[in-house]
């Protein structure tokens, strides 16, 4: 009889525990969630807020040779912001930022430009990683969308990277192709903004309505150590595309491998 009574009490306690278990677990989860939210709320917010994180230009006109976007931002914090770097997803993009330091509550902007002549037609999506410190290191990604019309004037390569690690003359071709037909397109002048490279105008070919003008980018000798940026500027007689640009990077040897003229041991510049 006593065993039956004990068994009955144990059964009632077990049922009571099972009935209240969901309530106990819910309380624990609520308490744990509240602690996590409280911790996250203490993290400082990014200092910069952008007016927009996406610019969609839609379909460009055939005569538009430059596609651009403007990204405005404001420092909402009480900290000074220093812009470290703007990293584009494509060499055809040219982000332009006038200043690098922004005081609390100061506004700023940067402009993004893209030469359309070197790009194939269709929907395009690019981005720029905007790296800054407030003083925490942060990155904001800004996206740029555009639809390019059927190609009319194409520059290849759209960017030129030259690795000049040894002495000697090197020649690197660039071709401008006009697919429009019926146009009397010609290049009137070419130049390089880099003192380490020069540009020579090559032959003009006209085959079945396709006109192609070739250029030679020439680096005469060994360049100083490090990276040297420049532009190939191409001027034409076409009112729709009076100027074309090819970004130019010349990479010299590593400083440790540069030799003095009268020495056989590596010397740093």
């Amino acid at each position: 009889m006593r065993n039956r009574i004990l068994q009955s009490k144990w059964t009632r306690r077990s049922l009571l525990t099972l009935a209240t278990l969901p309530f106990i677990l819910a309380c624990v989860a609520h308490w744990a969630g509240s602690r996590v939210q409280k911790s996250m709320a203490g993290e400082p917010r990014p200092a910069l807020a952008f007016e927009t994180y996406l610019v969609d230009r839609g379909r460009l006109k055939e005569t538009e040779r430059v596609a651009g976007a403007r990204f405005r931002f404001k420092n909402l914090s009480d900290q000074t912001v220093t812009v470290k770097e703007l990293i584009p997803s494509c060499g055809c993009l040219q982000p332009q930022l006038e200043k690098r330091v922004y005081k609390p509550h100061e506004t700023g902007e940067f402009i993004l430009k893209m030469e359309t002549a070197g790009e194939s037609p269709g929907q395009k999506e690019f981005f720029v990683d905007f790296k800054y410190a407030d003083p925490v290191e942060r990155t904001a990604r800004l996206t740029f969308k555009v639809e390019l019309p059927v190609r009319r004037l194409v520059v290849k390569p759209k960017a030129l990277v030259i690795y000049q690690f040894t002495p000697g003359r090197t020649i690197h071709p660039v071709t401008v192709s006009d697919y429009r037909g019926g146009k009397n397109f010609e290049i009137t002048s070419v130049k390089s903004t880099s003192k380490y490279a020069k540009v020579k105008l090559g032959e003009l070919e006209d085959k079945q309505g396709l006109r192609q003008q070739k250029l030679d980018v020439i680096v005469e000798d060994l360049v100083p150590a490090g990276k040297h940026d420049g532009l190939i500027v191409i001027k034409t007689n076409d009112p729709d595309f009076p100027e074309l640009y090819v970004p130019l990077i010349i990479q010299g040897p590593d400083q440790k491998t540069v030799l003095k003229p009268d020495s056989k041991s590596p010397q740093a510049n």
Side-chain angles (χ1 to χ4, degrees):
M1 184 70 177
R2 183 177 179 182
N3 289 338
R4 289 182 179 180
I5 294 172
L6 291 174
Q7 185 176 7
S8 176
K9 289 182 179 180
W10 182 86
T11 301
R12 287 197 298 271
R13 289 175 181 174
S14 298
L15 291 174
L16 179 62
T17 301
L18 291 173
T20 58
L21 184 60
F23 174 76
I24 295 172
L25 292 176
C27 290
V28 171
H30 176 74
W31 176 77
S34 298
R35 290 188 62 183
V36 172
Q37 292 175 0
K38 184 177 180 181
S39 175
M40 291 177 62
E43 296 180 1
R45 294 181 178 180
L48 294 187
F50 286 80
E51 189 176 271
T52 180
Y53 290 83
L54 168 65
V55 172
D56 189 347
R57 283 290 309 276
R59 183 177 176 83
L60 297 183
K61 297 179 181 178
E62 289 188 357
T63 56
E64 288 188 80
R65 62 185 181 89
V66 178
R70 190 184 301 270
F71 291 91
R72 296 185 176 90
F73 56 87
K74 184 175 183 179
N75 181 2
L76 299 179
S77 74
D78 294 325
Q79 302 290 331
T80 297
V81 169
T82 303
V83 180
K84 300 294 186 179
E85 193 175 8
L86 276 69
I87 305 177
S89 62
C90 173
C92 61
L93 300 178
Q94 302 171 28
Q96 300 175 5
L97 180 68
E98 290 186 357
K99 55 182 294 185
R100 296 279 175 166
V101 178
Y102 294 86
K103 297 179 180 179
H105 310 294
E106 187 177 1
T107 59
E109 66 178 24
F110 80 91
I111 299 172
L112 190 64
K113 291 184 177 181
M114 183 192 75
E115 286 288 331
T116 63
E119 297 297 319
S120 59
Q123 294 280 354
K124 305 290 179 180
E125 181 171 322
F126 307 100
F127 63 83
V128 174
D129 282 337
F130 192 100
K131 293 183 175 291
Y132 67 96
D134 62 359
V136 178
E137 297 285 341
R138 302 187 187 275
T139 301
R141 175 161 291 188
L142 295 314
T143 303
F144 174 56
K145 289 184 177 182
V146 66
E147 181 181 354
L148 301 181
V150 175
R151 62 182 180 177
R152 306 173 71 230
L153 207 60
V154 177
V155 182
K156 288 187 177 181
K158 57 187 178 183
L160 187 59
V161 180
I162 299 173
Y163 296 93
Q164 193 80 355
F165 294 158
T166 58
R169 191 174 195 250
T170 59
I171 301 175
H172 310 270
V174 174
T175 303
V176 181
S177 303
D178 184 7
Y179 291 85
R180 296 169 293 180
K183 287 277 189 177
N184 191 26
F185 169 80
E186 288 184 8
I187 295 175
T188 57
S189 68
V190 291
K191 72 173 183 178
S192 167
T193 63
S194 171
K195 63 182 180 181
Y196 303 115
K198 64 180 182 180
V199 190
K200 181 180 178 182
L201 190 59
E203 298 178 357
L204 173 64
E205 298 179 355
D206 195 341
K207 296 180 180 180
Q208 298 178 348
L210 172 62
R211 294 173 68 89
Q212 286 188 325
Q213 184 85 52
K214 294 183 179 180
L215 317 172
D216 288 331
V217 180
I218 303 169
V219 180
E220 290 290 354
D221 208 340
L222 189 66
V223 301
K227 186 177 74 169
H228 311 281
D229 297 325
L231 277 177
I232 303 301
V233 182
I234 306 168
K235 293 189 177 183
T236 81
N237 65 347
D238 192 317
D240 294 336
F241 298 94
E243 287 189 354
L244 306 172
Y245 304 95
V246 179
L248 172 65
I249 297 175
I250 303 176
Q251 181 67 53
D254 186 270
Q255 287 186 347
K256 295 180 181 179
T257 63
V258 176
L259 299 178
K260 287 186 176 181
D262 58 348
S263 173
K264 294 184 179 179
S265 59
Q267 299 289 340
N269 284 348

